[in-house]
Amino acid sequence: MLIKAGLLIDGTGSAPRQGCYLSLENGKIAAVGREGDFAGLEAEQALDYSAYTILPGLIDVHVHLFLEGISDPKARAGRWQETKEMTLLRAANNAAVTLKNGVTTVRDLAGPGGMSLALKQAVEKKVLTGPRIMTCNRAISITGGHFHYAGGREADGPDEIVKAVREQVKAGAAWIKIMLTGSVNFETGNAGPMEFSFREIQAAVTEAERFNRPVSAHANGVQAVRQALTAGVQSIEHGALLDEAAVDFLRSSPAYWAPTLTPFLQMLHQGHFSPQTQTGLEQVYAHHCAMVRRGIAAGAKIIAGTDAGAPGVQHGEVWRELGLFVELGMSPVQAIASATGLAAKAIGVTDTGVVTAGKNADLLVIDGNPLGDIQSLRHIVQVYKKGVGII
Ligand SMILES: [Zn+2]
């Protein structure tokens, strides 16, 4: 199969190209070139996307497939009362919505045990339609810690943490997720106390390393991020309360940073809070944006995670996060790389995320030019997952 692209943004961060052709074979990109480069394939027979832009299928590095972005607190609380069967059906729908929106790979970073793994297998066996799923299975927190109520694995002390890590590996987790702080308290403007001790973080990282599993840390405050980086985690989630020195420390570490700005902005617009909380949220969001701006300017490895499932964050809306990255100083080409090529490296899926020969034919065809308007990523013409059209 030969495809003609109007504009090609290959996900590597390099300059876009016009008038390219792609050949696909057995679900992979066989070659990228110009008209006449493809022996045996006639340019006239190419699938004509010359009016559109082609880029790699998007990668959302931080989602919760079991949950939708319900913003009303009462309705959200009601979701916790539903049966696990109902939750799983909703999760299957969320996976389908994700893929239809052009997201061909996700990293699921916490949900009820076994659910995201069942989804992953169902997608692989073609029982369901959905993105490729990398998952941590259950997130590990202290007893009563962050998100424990959403199927988290509570563990206290290095020995129990070692066991909790092994349980996730046994179940099939590709990542280990640890919760180091709570949600940001918008009234006080802080992340509360550290939940795990440094020894416990080290235990998690060391044990995960033995099984070749990277660790992702939910961490908002300076202390949590510094301890996580010192212990050697590969991915920092949120980091909403960093200071300049912590951003610089993050920049100089090998770790990736998914700042997940989208849920903060969505919460800001929903009006479910008291005036005092709303003011605190505005301050936290403004600070977070300033630190992300600093990280972008310094060249920190910032990747696109929407926290889909968080209040107000629907599945598949990566364009929101990328729009914010661009507002904070990232070039559109870099922003796209943060949700494609760079994201693929970050989460360890090196066979996708860029449009080059030999990679999976995970592609997004859009109507518009995201270099001029990043939100044109919403105008989806077609999504290919391993060469198969979804729409
Ligand atoms: Zn999350």
Side-chain angles (χ1 to χ4, degrees), residues 158-235:
D159 289 350
E160 226 177 290
I161 285 165
V162 164
K163 182 149 181 79
V165 168
R166 290 177 186 173
E167 285 170 3
Q168 308 321 306
V169 172
K170 181 185 178 191
W175 277 77
I176 298 300
K177 173 86 181 285
I178 52 175
M179 302 298 203
L180 303 193
T181 55
S183 293
V184 178
N185 181 328
F186 299 121
E187 281 177 29
T188 61
N190 68 45
M194 283 292 295
E195 294 192 343
F196 278 127
S197 70
F198 185 59
R199 277 180 58 236
E200 289 171 318
I201 302 168
Q202 276 183 313
V205 173
T206 308
E207 193 60 19
E209 234 166 43
R210 294 203 318 115
F211 295 97
N212 206 14
R213 296 298 194 284
V215 176
S216 154
H218 166 105
N220 276 308
V222 168
Q223 193 188 10
V225 170
R226 283 190 171 276
Q227 290 195 3
L229 294 174
T230 305
V233 311
Q234 282 81 3
S235 176

Side-chain angles (χ1 to χ4, degrees), residues 39 63 83 94 97 107 162 177 218 241 251 281 325 328 381:
V63 303
T83 61
N94 293 338
V97 167
R107 182 177 57 168
V162 164
K177 173 86 181 285
H218 166 105
L241 299 166
R251 157 74 186 88
L281 173 55
F325 288 172
L328 296 172
V381 175

Side-chain angles (χ1 to χ4, degrees), residues 144-354:
H146 182 63
F147 225 47
H148 74 277
Y149 48 84
R153 166 57 158 104
E154 293 168 300
D156 301 301
D159 289 350
E160 226 177 290
I161 285 165
V162 164
K163 182 149 181 79
V165 168
R166 290 177 186 173
E167 285 170 3
Q168 308 321 306
V169 172
K170 181 185 178 191
W175 277 77
I176 298 300
K177 173 86 181 285
I178 52 175
M179 302 298 203
L180 303 193
T181 55
S183 293
V184 178
N185 181 328
F186 299 121
E187 281 177 29
T188 61
N190 68 45
M194 283 292 295
E195 294 192 343
F196 278 127
S197 70
F198 185 59
R199 277 180 58 236
E200 289 171 318
I201 302 168
Q202 276 183 313
V205 173
T206 308
E207 193 60 19
E209 234 166 43
R210 294 203 318 115
F211 295 97
N212 206 14
R213 296 298 194 284
V215 176
S216 154
H218 166 105
N220 276 308
V222 168
Q223 193 188 10
V225 170
R226 283 190 171 276
Q227 290 195 3
L229 294 174
T230 305
V233 311
Q234 282 81 3
S235 176
I236 297 287
E237 311 304 314
H238 318 302
L241 299 166
L242 299 187
D243 60 15
E244 293 186 349
V247 172
D248 296 346
F249 186 44
L250 181 46
R251 157 74 186 88
S252 63
S253 83
Y256 292 84
W257 179 19
T260 68
L261 293 163
T262 304
F264 294 90
L265 183 63
Q266 294 300 89
M267 279 189 277
L268 206 56
H269 287 157
Q270 284 154 15
H272 290 301
F273 300 112
S274 69
Q276 189 191 351
T277 307
Q278 183 74 15
T279 305
L281 173 55
E282 279 165 23
Q283 285 167 356
V284 167
Y285 181 66
H287 174 81
H288 194 186
C289 285
M291 292 304 108
V292 173
R293 184 184 286 281
R294 183 182 180 90
I296 289 170
K301 293 179 288 299
I302 292 174
I303 49 175
T306 63
D307 213 355
V313 187
Q314 307 306 329
H315 289 272
E317 298 189 341
V318 176
W319 54 271
R320 288 189 193 276
E321 189 77 6
L322 301 190
L324 296 169
F325 288 172
V326 170
E327 276 177 33
L328 296 172
M330 213 182 258
S331 74
V333 163
Q334 265 340 107
I336 288 167
S338 80
T340 56
L342 190 67
K345 275 186 204 158
I347 69 167
V349 285
T350 48
D351 53 2
T352 188
V354 291

